[in-house]
Amino acid sequence: MRLLLPDVLRRELWQHARAEAPRECVGVLGGVQAGETWTAQTLYPLANIDPAPERAYLADPGHLLRAWRAMQTEGLELVALYHSHPRGPTGPSATDQALAAYPVPYLIADLSTGTLRAYLLPGAEEVSLG
C-alpha cells in the first residue's frame, strides 16, 4: 500500500503543523485511489476543537463537512487524514488507534523529529509514503 503525496502538499502539511504548534493540527487530503495506491491532490486544513489540543485532535465538524463537499464538487474522494504530534511520538498513539474511523492512511507529522509517516489504523500498519 502506498500514499503518493506531492511535494507541494507535503510542504502545506508541515506549514500547517508548525503554525498550530504546540497544538496538534488536523486535516484531510482529497484525491483518487487506484488499487492499493492513494494519490493526494488537495489538502484541507481543519480546525482542532479538542478540549486538550496540545495532546489530542478533534476536527471541527463544520469544517469537515465543507471539505467533504469540496471533494465531491471536485470529483475527489478522501484519501488520507493527517494530524501532528508536536512532541512525538512518531507513530500513532493509543488514542489515535482507538478513534480511527476511516479506511484510509492516517499521516502523522512528528515535529520533534521532523518525521512524516502514514499508517492504516487501528492496526498501525505502515503505509509507504511517496
Side-chain angles (χ1 to χ4, degrees):
M1 287 172 277
R2 183 168 73 162
L3 173 63
L4 300 177
L5 182 65
D7 288 340
V8 65
L9 296 182
R10 192 180 299 254
R11 285 190 298 272
E12 287 179 32
L13 189 155
W14 279 111
Q15 182 179 8
H16 185 203
R18 288 184 195 103
E20 290 295 318
R23 299 165 43 96
E24 290 192 9
C25 75
V26 60
V28 296
L29 294 160
V32 295
Q33 181 181 2
E36 292 190 351
T37 299
W38 294 271
T39 303
Q41 297 176 340
T42 308
L43 181 137
Y44 303 92
L46 306 173
N48 181 356
I49 61 168
D50 193 272
E54 292 78 19
R55 54 190 165 101
Y57 71 91
L58 176 62
D60 179 286
H63 290 186
L64 183 57
L65 181 58
R66 283 192 289 281
W68 280 112
R69 287 182 178 152
M71 280 186 259
Q72 286 179 326
T73 298
E74 297 169 31
L76 303 176
E77 58 189 304
L78 177 69
V79 296
L81 290 94
Y82 72 88
H83 73 283
S84 62
H85 285 174
R87 293 172 298 286
T90 299
S93 67
T95 301
D96 293 340
Q97 292 187 51
L99 297 178
Y102 300 96
V104 297
Y106 283 71
L107 287 109
I108 299 172
D110 178 2
L111 292 166
S112 68
T113 63
T115 304
L116 181 64
R117 292 205 170 123
Y119 302 88
L120 283 180
L121 299 179
E125 176 183 350
E126 194 158 359
V127 173
S128 174
L129 190 55

